[in-house]
Amino acid sequence: MYVEEVIAYVSGAVVKSILPKIKCSICINELTVREGDQAPSSLQVRKSYGALTSASPDVIQICRTAEKNHVRRTICFSAVYLTPRLN
């Protein structure tokens, strides 16, 4: 599914942006994918030129949840503010 591939790709960008701020090696290992942990999505394979950071399944799940909540809020906002009022 395209949305899942984009979420996995963006999750890697999120991890790449926070890695320089983290000093704990255990934390770094938990944020990034380990060998044999999961195969990268087809989008990650296409966009990878050797410098792509792959996020761990936990980070991908967090980003998936955040994306779903964002979509729900957007739908609620649209329903409340874009629906014509009968006054």
Side-chain angles (χ1 to χ4, degrees):
M1 178 187 255
Y2 184 74
V3 172
E4 293 295 321
E5 290 186 11
V6 171
I7 291 171
Y9 182 75
V10 170
S11 298
V14 169
V15 169
K16 187 174 184 174
S17 71
I18 63 174
L19 282 180
K21 298 172 179 78
I22 298 175
K23 305 296 182 221
C24 172
S25 61
I26 295 171
C27 299
I28 291 171
N29 288 336
E30 290 300 316
L31 291 173
T32 56
V33 71
R34 293 175 284 283
E35 286 296 319
D37 207 8
Q38 81 181 51
S41 70
S42 60
L43 178 63
Q44 288 174 305
V45 171
R46 269 184 279 158
K47 300 294 258 179
S48 179
Y49 301 106
L52 191 67
T53 302
S54 293
S56 70
D58 294 331
V59 175
I60 293 172
Q61 181 60 41
I62 291 167
C63 290
R64 186 179 297 124
T65 302
E67 191 270 341
K68 285 180 184 175
N69 288 334
H70 174 72
V71 168
R72 283 187 196 132
R73 267 189 247 117
T74 302
I75 290 170
C76 289
F77 176 80
S78 297
V80 170
Y81 292 104
L82 298 179
T83 305
R85 296 190 178 158
L86 302 173
N87 289 338

